Amino acid sequence: MRKDKNYFIKLGQLKEKVERVECMKYTLNSIVYWDKITHMPSKGIHYRSKIMGVLGSEIYSSFSDPALRELVGYFESRSDNDVQTDSMLKRIKRNYVYVNQIPEKEYRDYIALIATAEQVWASAKAENNFESFAPYLEKIVESFKNFSEYWGYDEDPYDALIGYYEEGVTTKDIDGYIERIKPEIIRLLTEINKRKSLMPEEMQMESGGFAKEQQMELTKAILEEIGFDFQAGRVDEGDHPTVLAASPGDVRLITVFDEHDIIPGIFNALHIGGKGLYEQGIDEGLLGMLLAEVASFGMEEAVARLYENVIGRNHGFWEHFYEKLQTLLPQFQSVSMEAFYRNINRVEAKAIRLEADELTYMLHTIIRYEIERDLISNRISIENLKEVWNEKYQAYLGVAPQTDSEGILQDVHWAAGYFGYFPSYIFANILSAQIADTMESALGNLDELLRRGELYRINDWLVQNIYHQGAVETPVDLIRKISGESLHAEHYVNYLWNKYSKVYQF
Amino acid sequence: MRKDKNYFIKLGQLKEKVERVECMKYTLNSIVYWDKITHMPSKGIHYRSKIMGVLGSEIYSSFSDPALRELVGYFESRSDNDVQTDSMLKRIKRNYVYVNQIPEKEYRDYIALIATAEQVWASAKAENNFESFAPYLEKIVESFKNFSEYWGYDEDPYDALIGYYEEGVTTKDIDGYIERIKPEIIRLLTEINKRKSLMPEEMQMESGGFAKEQQMELTKAILEEIGFDFQAGRVDEGDHPTVLAASPGDVRLITVFDEHDIIPGIFNALHIGGKGLYEQGIDEGLLGMLLAEVASFGMEEAVARLYENVIGRNHGFWEHFYEKLQTLLPQFQSVSMEAFYRNINRVEAKAIRLEADELTYMLHTIIRYEIERDLISNRISIENLKEVWNEKYQAYLGVAPQTDSEGILQDVHWAAGYFGYFPSYIFANILSAQIADTMESALGNLDELLRRGELYRINDWLVQNIYHQGAVETPVDLIRKISGESLHAEHYVNYLWNKYSKVYQF
C-alpha cells in the first residue's frame, strides 16, 4: 500500500473526529471541572452533575462511534503511519479501552456518582465524619472492581487500575520498587531518629500567621522564578493542590495555604509549578490529536517532585532565593538561611500526607497503595477501612490520626475516582531522581546551577527533552531514551542517602 | 389519537435529546464563555476559540439530528400535548430555525469569528482604534445580512434579527414606539434644560475615589437587600455588566466599577441584580426542556430596568437604604439623602451609554437601533459608520464622542454578535413601566413599600407572576395576562413625566 489521496482524506476525517472529542475532554476536565471546584455556587451542584454526566457520556459515545472505529481500523492495519499518527492511534485506543469497555449506563452513573461524591467528601471532611462518606466510597470501590474486570489484567486485578495511569507498569513492578526502597527508608529513619538533637528547633519568627494575600504573593514570586508564564496560566486557591490544563496556553494551578505555616504553601507552589511548566512546555502543534498532554500522570508527578524536592529543598536554590523570601515575608528577617534550609529538610512522621516531609511521604504513599490494592482484591473491606488506615499509620509512621479529617478523609483522591493513581507517586519519586541525574550529566552540577539562579536552563532542558513531545512517547520509553537505561530505584536510594547524611551528619 | 404508551416513550426520547443539547448550551454560553471573560489567561484564546466552535457546531447539529426532527414532527402533529410540551416544541423550533437555517460551515465560522472579534474589540478599545476592529465588524454585519435571509422576514430584513430576541415584534412595532416616545423625551429634555439651575451641583464628598473592594462590598449589600441568593449565584468584576446563568442554582453576575465614581457601580448592581433575581426565580423543574430560561431578552431587560430605575431611583427606596450606604461608604457622611436622590435623577447628555441617565439612555438605544437597522438594509456602510455614529450623537444628544473608545467602540454588543438586541432595550423600558403599574395595583403604593424596605414582597410577586414560569409563555402573552392589556407606551410616558416633573419641579 502507498499513501494515496484516500489515505490523507481518511486521516483528515480521523483528525476532525479526534479534535472534536479532545475539545469535549478539555471542556469537561479543565473548564467545567475547574469552575466547579473554584467558582461554582453551592446550589449549582445538582445541574452541574447533570452537565458533567452528559459531557462524560458524549465523550464515551464519541470513542465508540462506528465511523471512528472504522477509521481507526484502517490506520491500525497500516505500518507506514508517521510517529505522531501512531501515537494518536495509541491514545485513541487507551481512551476507548478505558472508557468504552464499561457499559454506557454504568459509566454515566459513575461520572454522576463522582460529581456528588466529591461534595459529600468535602462535607464529611468538614464535619469529621467518615461514616457519611463511606457509602459513596463503597460504591466507588465497587465501580473500580468492575472496571478492572472490564479492562482486564494478567495477575492482579489492581494491575488494570495501575495500567490506566502508567502504561505497562504492574502491581509486581511497584511491589518490587517498594521491596528495594522500604528497608532503605527504615534504615534512614533509624539513623535520623538517633540524631534528632542535631536538628534546630522549629523556626522562631515574629509572626501572627501568614495572610492569604501574602502567601499568594510569595506563590506568584516562586512561580515566576521557576519560569511559569502568567499569560498562559493562572493560580487560584482551592481545597487540594492540583493542575488543570485547558490547553498549553491555559494552565490552571490550584494551591492550598496553611495560615499558621508558610512552608506547605511554598512547596505546594513548587509542586504545582513543576506540573504547570510541563503543561505549558507541550508543543501546541500536538493539539487536536490527544497528544498535547503529559506523557503520563507519573511523569507529571516526577516533574512536580523534581521542583518540590530536588530543586526546592536544595541548598543552592535557597542561597539564591532566600533574600527574595525575606523581602516578601519580613517575618523571616530573624531566621538564618541555614536554619531555614535545615528545617525544610527536617524528617518527622505526621498523620497528614500533605504535611509530610520528603522522606516519610513515601510511606504515606505506600499505605494508600497497599489499601487500594487490598480493597480491589477483596482482602479488606470498607467496614474496617478506618481501622486498617489507622493501624498502618501506627505501624509504619508511628503516628495515629486523631480524627477522620486528619486520617482517612484527608485526600480527595478516592472521592474523585483516582484509584490506581497512588502507585504513580512511587513511580514518580524514582523517576524524578533518574531525571535529575540525567539532567546533571548534560548541564553540569545542579547545586551550582541553582546557586546562580539559572532556573531557565533547567526549564529549557526539560522542555526540549520531556515536555515538548507531549504524549507522543510513553514515560518508560522516554526515560530509557534520555537516560540510556531502564527505570530503576538506585538513583533515588542514592539521592536520599546523599541528602540526609549531609543534613543529619552521618 | 389518545396518549398511549408509545406517546410517553417518544416523549421520554425527545426529552433525553433536548436535555443533552440544553447541557451543551449552558456549558458553552454560561460556563465556557463566562470563564473566557473572567478567568482565561490571554494565551488561551486560540484553543478556546476552537472549543467554542466545536461546542457551537455540536449544538447546531443536535437540532438538525434526523431522529430529533422526527420526534418533533410527531408531537407537532398532535393537538393534545400539555402546555409545557407545546412550549418546549416552540423553543426547539426557535433554536432550530435560528441556528439550522444557517449552513453548518457558515455557522461554525461565525462562532469562531465572534470568539476572536471580542478579543480584537477589547484591544481596539484599549488602543482607541476603530479601524483595527472595522474589518471584523464588517464580517459580522455580512453574517447577519445573510442570517436575515436564512431566517426570513415579511417587510424589513431587520425584522428577522428583532424576531430572534422578541418573538412577533417587528421593525414597524419598534418604529411605532419610537414615534410615540421620541417627541415626549425631546419635550422633557427641553423642560429640564430650562431648569438646570434647580439641580444641585455634583455631590461634594471627601473622597480620593472608591476602591474596588469597597465597591464590591456595596454591590454585595445591594444584591442582598433586593434578595439575591449567594448560595445560588456569585458576582465578579468584568468589562461589561452581564448575567450568565448556568442553571437557576448557578447565576453569574458580572459588574463594572468606575474608580472615580460610585454611582455607575450602584446602578450596575441593581441592573444585573434584577436579572439575577429573574434567573434564580425560574422553576428548576423546567430544566431539561429549554424552558428554564427567561421569557425573552427584552423581558429580562425589563426586570433589570425595574430594579435599576423604577426601584433604584425611587425616593422611598433611598429613604430606607441610604443609611446603609453611608455606613459602607463613609465618604457619603457629608452628603444629604435629598442631594443624593436628586443627583441620581440628574439628566445630562453624555457620549457613553453606560454613563447615561435614565431619560437620555433611550436616545443611546435609539441611535444603535437606527444604525443596525440601516446597516442591515444597506442604507449605510462600515466605511462611514464612525461619522454616522458621531453625527447622530451630535443631533440627538448634543454631544460628540472625543475618541473611538468613548464612541463607536464603547459597547461589546456588536463584537459579541448581539445584532437585533438593542430594540429589546426599547421594548424593555416600555414593559418595565407596565409591569410596575400592574404590580402596584396588586401590592399597593410602591413608594410606601420601598420606604418600608419590603423588597421581598416585590421579589415574591415577580417570582410568582413572571419568573417562575420561565420561558413557557412569551413576553407579549405574559404582559397581556398579568396586566390585562397589550403592551403600549403610555405607562412609560406617564412614568417619565411623573418622575421628572417632581425632580425638576414643573
Side-chain angles (χ1 to χ4, degrees):
Chain A
M1 285 187 292
R2 60 183 190 84
K3 290 182 184 172
D4 54 12
K5 199 178 154 194
N6 192 38
Y7 179 93
F8 292 103
I9 289 172
K10 281 182 187 288
L11 190 58
Q13 290 167 339
L14 178 63
K15 283 188 176 177
E16 195 179 322
K17 285 182 182 295
V18 170
E19 185 182 67
R20 176 185 163 281
V21 68
E22 183 186 89
C23 281
M24 297 274 181
K25 285 188 77 173
Y26 280 112
T27 300
L28 173 60
N29 298 331
S30 301
I31 306 172
V32 173
Y33 177 75
W34 180 83
D35 181 85
K36 173 172 177 273
I37 62 172
T38 53
H39 292 100
M40 187 190 73
S42 59
K43 289 185 185 170
I45 182 59
H46 181 70
Y47 193 67
R48 183 60 56 97
S49 302
K50 172 68 74 184
I51 283 180
M52 293 177 76
V54 165
L55 287 173
S57 171
E58 193 63 32
I59 293 163
Y60 176 95
S61 57
S62 298
F63 280 111
S64 58
D65 166 24
L68 176 76
R69 302 312 314 154
E70 197 186 314
L71 286 163
V72 167
Y74 172 83
F75 288 100
E76 281 182 342
S77 72
R78 307 203 39 143
S79 55
D80 58 348
N81 304 311
D82 63 22
V83 175
Q84 282 190 0
T85 303
D86 273 336
S87 296
M88 175 172 69
L89 291 169
K90 275 167 73 177
R91 298 303 280 189
I92 296 168
K93 192 174 181 179
R94 280 182 67 82
N95 275 281
Y96 179 70
V97 167
Y98 285 111
V99 173
N100 296 70
Q101 304 288 73
I102 306 167
E104 180 162 0
K105 169 89 171 65
E106 199 171 332
Y107 180 68
R108 195 173 173 151
D109 289 348
Y110 165 75
I111 295 285
L113 168 66
I114 288 299
T116 312
E118 265 193 74
Q119 300 286 118
V120 174
W121 165 80
S123 302
K125 188 176 176 183
E127 292 157 13
N128 191 32
N129 178 6
F130 175 65
E131 282 63 35
S132 68
F133 175 60
Y136 290 85
L137 183 57
E138 179 136 37
K139 279 187 198 168
I140 294 169
V141 170
E142 279 311 309
S143 299
F144 278 95
K145 282 183 192 168
N146 293 337
F147 295 173
S148 70
E149 297 302 324
Y150 298 137
W151 296 343
Y153 52 87
D154 285 336
E155 294 183 23
D156 194 304
Y158 190 61
D159 286 353
L161 308 190
I162 300 179
Y164 178 81
Y165 293 99
E166 290 304 329
E167 203 174 334
V169 177
T170 64
T171 311
K172 204 173 182 175
D173 292 332
I174 301 294
D175 284 342
Y177 296 135
I178 290 176
E179 203 182 330
R180 175 76 186 95
I181 293 161
K182 211 177 188 176
E184 298 287 348
I185 297 178
I186 290 167
R187 276 182 57 208
L188 268 163
L189 266 174
T190 312
E191 293 298 327
I192 288 166
N193 283 333
K194 280 190 230 160
R195 289 165 181 83
K196 273 196 164 170
S197 61
L198 289 175
M199 179 59 65
E201 288 300 297
E202 293 284 340
M203 288 175 280
Q204 294 298 323
M205 57 193 84
E206 291 168 37
S207 164
F210 298 90
K212 285 183 176 186
E213 295 71 24
Q214 210 185 11
Q215 299 218 31
M216 187 52 98
E217 202 186 350
L218 176 63
T219 295
K220 287 180 178 169
I222 290 170
L223 293 172
E224 263 165 29
E225 179 68 29
I226 63 173
F228 187 77
D229 178 358
F230 278 96
Q231 288 191 289
R234 53 178 294 124
V235 59
D236 295 87
E237 209 199 334
D239 291 327
H240 185 80
T242 189
V243 174
L244 299 164
S247 80
D250 183 358
V251 178
R252 314 282 173 108
L253 312 183
I254 308 240
T255 194
V256 176
F257 302 132
D258 178 340
E259 272 185 78
H260 306 294
D261 188 1
I262 192 73
I263 304 303
I266 290 173
F267 290 95
N268 284 341
L270 287 158
H271 183 94
I272 59 171
K275 291 186 179 182
L277 292 175
Y278 193 164
E279 298 279 3
Q280 289 185 337
I282 295 170
D283 178 7
E284 287 228 353
L286 296 171
L287 279 166
M289 294 179 285
L290 299 170
L291 295 174
E293 300 174 12
V294 296
S296 78
F297 289 95
M299 182 56 106
E300 187 170 41
E301 188 68 20
V303 172
R305 296 289 147 154
L306 184 72
Y307 276 89
E308 181 184 350
N309 293 331
V310 182
I311 293 171
R313 296 179 204 276
N314 177 288
H315 198 276
F317 176 75
W318 288 104
E319 284 177 60
H320 167 70
F321 196 71
Y322 196 67
E323 214 176 289
K324 178 88 183 170
L325 177 81
Q326 286 180 316
T327 308
L328 290 173
L329 301 174
Q331 294 98 320
F332 278 88
Q333 296 290 356
S334 59
V335 179
S336 75
M337 198 286 267
E338 283 306 320
F340 176 80
Y341 167 74
R342 290 170 67 81
N343 259 292
I344 61 174
N345 284 298
R346 177 195 297 276
V347 174
E348 191 170 19
K350 288 182 177 174
I352 296 175
R353 181 178 61 88
L354 287 174
E355 292 176 2
D357 58 79
E358 182 180 354
L359 186 69
T360 56
Y361 193 97
M362 195 58 121
L363 296 175
H364 290 266
T365 307
I366 290 171
I367 289 171
R368 285 156 180 76
Y369 163 74
E370 290 174 352
I371 287 176
E372 286 190 13
R373 181 193 61 194
D374 295 347
L375 269 175
I376 299 300
S377 315
N378 295 313
R379 276 173 278 182
I380 53 175
S381 68
I382 300 288
E383 285 78 51
N384 53 0
L385 198 65
K386 203 160 92 178
E387 286 67 43
V388 172
W389 179 283
N390 293 348
E391 279 163 19
K392 279 185 189 282
Y393 264 82
Q394 190 61 59
Y396 297 4
L397 288 137
V399 294
Q402 297 301 304
T403 63
D404 293 358
S405 307
E406 285 188 2
I408 192 153
L409 287 174
Q410 68 182 268
D411 294 323
V412 73
H413 294 63
W414 291 342
Y418 282 38
F419 270 78
Y421 181 70
F422 280 111
S424 295
Y425 286 174
I426 297 165
F427 181 79
N429 274 332
I430 293 164
L431 189 55
S432 74
Q434 194 155 332
I435 291 169
D437 285 351
T438 307
M439 184 162 63
E440 199 159 42
S441 310
L443 301 181
N445 186 274
L446 207 58
D447 299 354
E448 287 295 330
L449 211 69
L450 291 169
R451 197 169 292 130
R452 294 194 301 269
E454 294 176 357
L455 273 297
Y456 67 93
R457 291 189 61 205
I458 292 173
N459 192 38
D460 286 352
W461 188 88
L462 289 165
V463 167
Q464 205 177 326
N465 289 278
I466 296 179
Y467 306 163
H468 194 259
Q469 64 93 45
V472 174
E473 290 189 79
T474 65
V476 171
D477 288 346
L478 192 57
I479 191 64
R480 197 183 295 115
K481 187 173 149 188
I482 65 170
S483 74
E485 49 183 5
S486 298
L487 182 68
H488 60 82
E490 301 314 314
H491 294 280
Y492 183 62
V493 170
N494 291 337
Y495 163 77
L496 291 178
W497 278 100
N498 276 337
K499 165 180 284 200
Y500 291 107
S501 63
K502 277 177 204 152
V503 173
Y504 279 93
Q505 303 167 23
F506 49 84
Chain B
M1 283 189 293
R2 60 181 191 84
K3 289 182 183 173
D4 55 11
K5 199 178 153 194
N6 192 37
Y7 179 94
F8 292 103
I9 289 172
K10 281 182 188 287
L11 189 58
Q13 290 168 340
L14 178 63
K15 284 189 175 176
E16 195 179 322
K17 285 182 182 296
V18 171
E19 184 181 68
R20 176 184 162 283
V21 68
E22 183 185 271
C23 281
M24 297 274 181
K25 285 187 78 172
Y26 280 112
T27 300
L28 173 59
N29 299 331
S30 301
I31 306 172
V32 173
Y33 177 74
W34 179 84
D35 181 86
K36 174 172 177 274
I37 63 173
T38 54
H39 292 100
M40 187 190 71
S42 59
K43 289 185 185 170
I45 182 60
H46 180 70
Y47 193 68
R48 183 60 57 97
S49 303
K50 172 69 74 183
I51 282 179
M52 292 177 75
V54 165
L55 287 173
S57 171
E58 193 63 33
I59 293 162
Y60 176 95
S61 57
S62 298
F63 280 111
S64 59
D65 166 24
L68 177 76
R69 302 313 314 154
E70 197 186 315
L71 286 163
V72 167
Y74 171 83
F75 289 100
E76 282 182 341
S77 72
R78 305 198 45 136
S79 55
D80 58 349
N81 304 310
D82 62 21
V83 175
Q84 282 191 359
T85 303
D86 273 336
S87 295
M88 175 172 70
L89 291 169
K90 275 167 75 178
R91 299 302 280 188
I92 296 169
K93 192 175 182 178
R94 280 181 67 82
N95 274 281
Y96 179 70
V97 168
Y98 285 111
V99 173
N100 296 72
Q101 304 288 73
I102 306 168
E104 178 162 0
K105 169 90 173 61
E106 199 171 333
Y107 180 69
R108 195 173 173 151
D109 289 348
Y110 164 73
I111 294 286
L113 169 66
I114 288 299
T116 311
E118 265 193 74
Q119 300 286 118
V120 173
W121 165 80
S123 301
K125 188 176 177 183
E127 291 156 13
N128 191 33
N129 179 6
F130 175 64
E131 282 64 36
S132 68
F133 175 60
Y136 289 85
L137 183 56
E138 178 136 38
K139 279 187 198 168
I140 294 169
V141 170
E142 280 311 308
S143 298
F144 278 96
K145 282 182 190 169
N146 292 337
F147 295 174
S148 70
E149 298 303 323
Y150 297 137
W151 296 342
Y153 52 86
D154 285 336
E155 295 184 21
D156 194 303
Y158 191 60
D159 287 352
L161 308 191
I162 301 179
Y164 177 81
Y165 292 100
E166 291 304 328
E167 202 174 334
V169 177
T170 65
T171 310
K172 204 173 182 174
D173 293 331
I174 301 294
D175 284 342
Y177 296 134
I178 290 176
E179 204 182 330
R180 175 77 186 94
I181 293 162
K182 212 176 187 176
E184 298 288 349
I185 296 177
I186 289 166
R187 276 181 58 210
L188 267 163
L189 264 175
T190 312
E191 293 298 328
I192 288 166
N193 282 334
K194 281 190 228 160
R195 290 165 181 82
K196 272 197 164 170
S197 61
L198 288 176
M199 179 58 67
E201 290 299 297
E202 294 283 340
M203 288 174 280
Q204 295 298 324
M205 57 193 85
E206 292 167 37
S207 165
F210 298 90
K212 284 182 176 185
E213 294 71 23
Q214 210 184 10
Q215 300 218 32
M216 187 51 98
E217 203 186 349
L218 176 63
T219 296
K220 287 179 179 169
I222 290 169
L223 293 172
E224 262 165 30
E225 180 67 29
I226 62 174
F228 187 76
D229 178 358
F230 279 95
Q231 287 191 289
R234 51 178 295 124
V235 58
D236 295 87
E237 210 200 333
D239 291 327
H240 185 80
T242 189
V243 174
L244 299 164
S247 80
D250 183 357
V251 178
R252 312 283 173 108
L253 313 182
I254 308 246
T255 194
V256 176
F257 302 131
D258 178 340
E259 272 185 79
H260 307 293
D261 188 2
I262 193 73
I263 305 302
I266 291 174
F267 290 95
N268 284 339
L270 286 158
H271 183 94
I272 59 171
K275 291 187 180 182
L277 292 175
Y278 192 165
E279 297 279 3
Q280 289 185 338
I282 295 170
D283 179 6
E284 287 229 354
L286 297 171
L287 279 166
M289 295 179 286
L290 299 170
L291 295 174
E293 300 174 13
V294 296
S296 77
F297 289 96
M299 182 56 104
E300 186 169 41
E301 190 68 20
V303 172
R305 297 290 147 152
L306 184 71
Y307 275 91
E308 180 185 351
N309 293 332
V310 183
I311 293 171
R313 296 179 205 276
N314 177 289
H315 198 277
F317 176 75
W318 288 105
E319 284 177 61
H320 166 71
F321 195 71
Y322 196 65
E323 213 176 288
K324 178 87 183 171
L325 177 81
Q326 287 181 316
T327 308
L328 290 172
L329 301 175
Q331 295 99 319
F332 278 88
Q333 296 290 354
S334 59
V335 179
S336 75
M337 199 285 268
E338 283 305 321
F340 176 81
Y341 168 73
R342 289 170 68 79
N343 259 292
I344 61 174
N345 284 297
R346 176 195 298 276
V347 174
E348 191 170 19
K350 288 183 177 174
I352 295 175
R353 180 177 61 89
L354 287 173
E355 292 175 2
D357 58 79
E358 182 180 354
L359 186 69
T360 57
Y361 193 97
M362 195 58 121
L363 296 175
H364 290 266
T365 307
I366 290 171
I367 289 171
R368 285 156 181 75
Y369 163 74
E370 290 174 353
I371 288 177
E372 285 189 16
R373 182 193 62 193
D374 294 349
L375 268 176
I376 298 300
S377 316
N378 295 315
R379 278 173 278 183
I380 54 174
S381 67
I382 300 288
E383 286 77 53
N384 53 2
L385 198 64
K386 203 160 94 177
E387 287 66 44
V388 172
W389 178 283
N390 293 345
E391 280 163 18
K392 279 185 189 283
Y393 263 84
Q394 191 62 57
Y396 298 4
L397 288 136
V399 294
Q402 297 301 303
T403 64
D404 293 357
S405 307
E406 285 187 1
I408 191 153
L409 287 175
Q410 67 182 269
D411 294 323
V412 73
H413 295 63
W414 291 341
Y418 282 38
F419 270 78
Y421 182 69
F422 281 110
S424 294
Y425 286 174
I426 297 165
F427 180 80
N429 273 333
I430 293 164
L431 189 55
S432 73
Q434 193 156 331
I435 291 170
D437 285 351
T438 308
M439 185 162 62
E440 198 159 41
S441 311
L443 301 181
N445 187 275
L446 206 59
D447 300 355
E448 287 296 330
L449 211 68
L450 292 169
R451 197 170 293 128
R452 293 194 301 268
E454 294 176 357
L455 272 297
Y456 66 94
R457 290 189 61 205
I458 293 174
N459 192 38
D460 286 352
W461 188 88
L462 289 165
V463 167
Q464 205 177 327
N465 289 279
I466 296 179
Y467 306 162
H468 194 259
Q469 64 92 46
V472 174
E473 290 189 79
T474 66
V476 170
D477 288 344
L478 191 58
I479 191 65
R480 195 184 296 113
K481 187 173 149 187
I482 64 171
S483 73
E485 50 183 6
S486 298
L487 183 68
H488 60 81
E490 301 314 313
H491 294 280
Y492 183 62
V493 170
N494 291 338
Y495 163 77
L496 292 178
W497 278 99
N498 276 337
K499 164 180 285 201
Y500 290 108
S501 63
K502 275 178 205 153
V503 173
Y504 281 92
Q505 302 167 22
F506 48 84

